Amino acid sequence: MKAVTTKTDPGHFFEDFKLGQRLVHATPRTVTTGDVALYTALYGPRFSLFSSDAFARGCGLVSAPVDPLIAFHIVFGKTVPDISLNAVANLGYAEGRFLAPVFPGDTLSAVSDVIGLKENSNGKTGVVYVRTTGTNQHGEAVLSYVRWVMVRKRDEAAEIVEQTVPTLSTAVAPADLALPPGLDFSAYDWALAGAPHAFEDYEIGEKIDHVDGMAVEEAEHQMATRLWQNTAKVHFNQFERARDPSGRRLVYGGVVISTAKALSFNGLQNAGLILAINGGRHVAPFFAGGTVFAWSEVLDKADLGAAGALRLRLVATKDAPCAEFPDKGGEGVYDSSVILDFDYWAAVPKRV
Amino acid sequence: MKAVTTKTDPGHFFEDFKLGQRLVHATPRTVTTGDVALYTALYGPRFSLFSSDAFARGCGLVSAPVDPLIAFHIVFGKTVPDISLNAVANLGYAEGRFLAPVFPGDTLSAVSDVIGLKENSNGKTGVVYVRTTGTNQHGEAVLSYVRWVMVRKRDEAAEIVEQTVPTLSTAVAPADLALPPGLDFSAYDWALAGAPHAFEDYEIGEKIDHVDGMAVEEAEHQMATRLWQNTAKVHFNQFERARDPSGRRLVYGGVVISTAKALSFNGLQNAGLILAINGGRHVAPFFAGGTVFAWSEVLDKADLGAAGALRLRLVATKDAPCAEFPDKGGEGVYDSSVILDFDYWAAVPKRV
Amino acid sequence: MKAVTTKTDPGHFFEDFKLGQRLVHATPRTVTTGDVALYTALYGPRFSLFSSDAFARGCGLVSAPVDPLIAFHIVFGKTVPDISLNAVANLGYAEGRFLAPVFPGDTLSAVSDVIGLKENSNGKTGVVYVRTTGTNQHGEAVLSYVRWVMVRKRDEAAEIVEQTVPTLSTAVAPADLALPPGLDFSAYDWALAGAPHAFEDYEIGEKIDHVDGMAVEEAEHQMATRLWQNTAKVHFNQFERARDPSGRRLVYGGVVISTAKALSFNGLQNAGLILAINGGRHVAPFFAGGTVFAWSEVLDKADLGAAGALRLRLVATKDAPCAEFPDKGGEGVYDSSVILDFDYWAAVPKRV
């Protein structure tokens, strides 16, 4: 009889990764309006561009694209079995660029290239850096980003010969931001979009409290995570999690990102279209039952011609309204309520 | 630096409404089969007309329209940020008419006209009456209804000059009921529909216990409400609700309507198509964990030619089976189990 | 006034069934990509054939078919009001054959033929055997299976004249397995499918621990069950269930099947396409809050020409990892953790 483990995938351990290695991730995924409906039900986003085919056509597109975060979650989910099944921690994102809009009917697949490896001094773990690319059925890249995670070694004695830490940009340069082909905000309907705030109205340094709070239930985060075929055990295996000090399933960080992004409508009504992810940190774990609040800060502005772009910092908290903008202090220590610090570029229409 | 509140929408207070004012609501919404699947998963409706394209074609339509309550929830949800974000209570509905069927792919938007204002004697609140119209991508009205809500004043000293209370019909007249164009019940498949009960079989005064009970979970009502981009804080912000005497998130009243309507299949199998909402009252708040039961009473009948119409009263209860038809007593005081009293017209096939 | 019970469906009792009787089930159902999205969100399946239109086209199909279990759940759900509303227990399945693939846009309806009746000696219940057939909008059978359930008598004195117990196969013969027309695995993309394991790599007697555990929440099983318009009270009516010794709503057995099937990806990555259900037993009730684990055993193999077929036994447990393959002992008594024992045939690509 065959051994059990030859067919069950144990995931990769740190010594399994090699610099320059390309991982082809399983399970291509056709995106549908069913996914969009579930995304709406799970987060309640109100950005018109993703909500209405008619509105999207008024912006020069053939129909409503899906929220770029849907593409991100799908591609990210595919990488989990190969990259982070044995991860101790998800350390960061960088150089995330949305390269082409995704529409219902498109099929996404993903590959990851190992661009960095750094063993930790304890000899038990190491940090793996991958650049992941999501591609549609035409072979066109729709998304690219770097992620680094701390991964366990299977065998502490395993020697890691080739190591390197890649140099990563702190933010995607405006020249590298890609607007969806055909995007034309010249007839933008500000009333249907929900607010008159244009690119010109936002100032660097401006902070916006998004006011509303959104509770997250166990069933919701499990559905949200399975929808993207993300298999990380910590989100689902309550039997095993009962032995963790928390005793709880961990909410997938992407749920916090999407929840906070949906809340950001209140103040950033015209800045729904993410163009790039400069960085992101899941500052503290989040568990079901908590209520997410969020605030944003305008970090930078760039005029892309057909649209403006805002570089935004989206900070999410747990059980803490954000009128006082809970943040990190001078020594970089975050307020205990903060669970997410996410840095991205979004397109926003110009007034003229 | 700009003030925070210039971009965050605080919602309208009583003194912000003016008679004759038209509010254009944000976020048009394309309805999809994904919405229909979620509606089915959340309530379990079994009316064949909305479940099967083939059945709908047998009734003269091009494909299955969505349940009219989906159109209602979508349009209602759009009005919340402008009408009821600062509402103390949702007081009633009247003159609701479904004017054209909605199919997956249609895009709905909504406007509301302020038709009545009445300040309360305490000077702290007032009642706002709006007539809301939902329109599809062709500019065709699909739904119109009046709603009145009690809204807080921002400033108690604000003077409300022009006030009026509109005269509203207690029920939509049969002559004002609109059947979907092309609807033809002459080849109606009673077996596939689930019961042989025709227009002729229902009698005014008849009461029907719908027997089954349906529990509602927190995750379910949150998803059901976000799906329609309804942002009312009371449904989602558990952190804030913890300070309410109930300590609980309130279930959106539309969840109770749709749950009771789905339960009504058992006895009203052929009366799924709502034509009008005559009135509705959320008699008591409903919280997750409760089990909804329902019963119906035939209030009136009208022969519309191509179909019959039943005026029905749908009463929902919490944790109380309805074999004894829990109701309001002689003095108009409801049995403590009643949570909804909803008055509507539905189309029903005639036998011949 | 009419009696209430003439319009409310009480379901059939044992004495209502007659040998040779055909029951036409209500509510035909158009399957959509919305259903597929919900199925993915509820279970997290990763079989590429159902996940990607592009992958399915690479296998000779016009687009991704829906998971055969979706067809099974839909057809099964339709039978509940007529067959098992008054059932005491769901006893078994046999001779389940998937006869044609189902694609989004197809409309399914169902009929059941009563093929067996056997009164129990206590005079209070009897066993009903039905052969149920699911049909698409072209009148083509997509699924056929036998189910037997124990049903209460309305009147213990009722005499059951004609009784018979049908002879049922223990397994569907390989010659009766139907591959989807056009299925062609010659260009199968093993990397995108997630594993290189071909028909030739599986051995009879081989056991596979699927490792991962999946928790099920109340909201999830309710949504999963309502999605298929399954009305069995035990899954939804918490008010009534509070009087049951368990005090809990029972999870629909199909939820356990689909959860375990999704978990089986880890080890059976290329065996997603169920061709037949040989039998199935819900060994113990399952309640929300538990974590499902699963393991599989290869019972048999058959070469179908265009593909191989594996006869698999899928065993699911509650709160018990399956490294030790919890099973039934020599006397047929199951380990207390086992909740499902499911026997099916699945297609799997051959290496050459």
Side-chain angles (χ1 to χ4, degrees), chain B residues 33-34 37-38 40-46 48 51-54 191-192 194 197 201-203 205-209 211-215 217 219-220 265-267 269 291 293 319 321 325, chain C residues 1-4 6-10 24-30 32-35 38 78 81 105 107 109 137 218-220 222-224 226-229 231 233 236-240 249:
Chain B
T33 54
L38 267 161
T40 305
L42 289 163
Y43 305 114
R46 290 184 283 150
S48 289
S51 175
S52 164
D53 286 336
L192 283 183
H197 318 314
D201 300 321
Y202 288 93
E203 290 180 16
E206 184 175 353
K207 290 180 180 179
I208 302 163
D209 170 18
V211 180
D212 303 309
M214 181 59 71
E217 298 292 322
E220 291 168 352
F265 178 85
N266 201 346
Q269 294 88 342
T291 300
F293 293 84
D319 293 336
F325 307 108
Chain C
M1 193 188 303
K2 298 214 163 193
V4 165
T6 57
K7 296 202 177 70
T8 303
D9 185 359
V24 175
H25 305 301
T27 313
R29 173 77 153 73
T30 301
T32 71
T33 54
D35 298 317
L38 267 162
K78 309 220 153 310
T107 298
S109 53
Q137 71 277 20
E218 297 281 9
E220 291 168 351
Q222 288 205 141
M223 292 184 70
R226 283 187 300 239
L227 180 59
W228 317 124
Q229 300 168 313
T231 61
K233 300 165 200 282
F236 304 117
N237 191 333
Q238 179 54 36
F239 178 80
E240 193 174 300
R249 281 158 281 173

Side-chain angles (χ1 to χ4, degrees), chain B residues 10-165:
Chain B
H12 293 102
F13 290 86
F14 184 65
E15 62 265 42
D16 298 327
F17 294 97
K18 307 293 166 205
L19 277 178
Q21 179 184 15
R22 165 161 286 200
L23 297 150
V24 176
H25 305 302
T27 315
R29 173 78 153 74
T30 301
V31 187
T32 70
T33 54
D35 298 317
V36 175
L38 267 161
Y39 194 82
T40 305
L42 289 163
Y43 305 114
R46 290 184 283 150
F47 301 102
S48 289
L49 191 66
F50 312 124
S51 175
S52 164
D53 286 336
F55 189 93
R57 278 193 281 271
C59 295
L61 306 180
V62 292
S63 64
V66 304
D67 190 310
L69 287 175
I70 290 182
F72 177 76
H73 293 315
I74 288 178
V75 170
F76 183 95
K78 308 219 154 311
T79 71
V80 167
D82 296 321
I83 306 293
S84 47
L85 210 62
N86 300 304
V88 181
N90 192 30
L91 298 173
Y93 311 100
E95 301 186 2
R97 296 169 62 214
F98 293 92
L99 301 163
V102 175
F103 296 94
D106 284 351
T107 297
L108 303 186
S109 53
V111 298
S112 294
D113 295 301
V114 179
I115 61 169
L117 290 172
K118 179 67 188 164
E119 191 175 7
N120 285 323
S121 52
N122 62 13
K124 295 180 179 173
T125 56
V127 179
V128 180
Y129 296 78
V130 293
R131 186 180 301 276
T132 297
T133 305
T135 307
N136 66 19
Q137 71 277 21
H138 308 300
E140 192 183 3
V142 300
L143 165 64
S144 168
Y145 67 92
V146 173
R147 176 163 78 117
W148 56 106
V149 291
M150 192 187 302
V151 177
R152 266 189 289 274
K153 289 175 76 176
R154 184 190 294 105
D155 172 12
E156 290 191 27
E159 209 178 328
I160 314 299
V161 183
E162 216 185 345
Q163 300 193 37
T164 186
V165 172

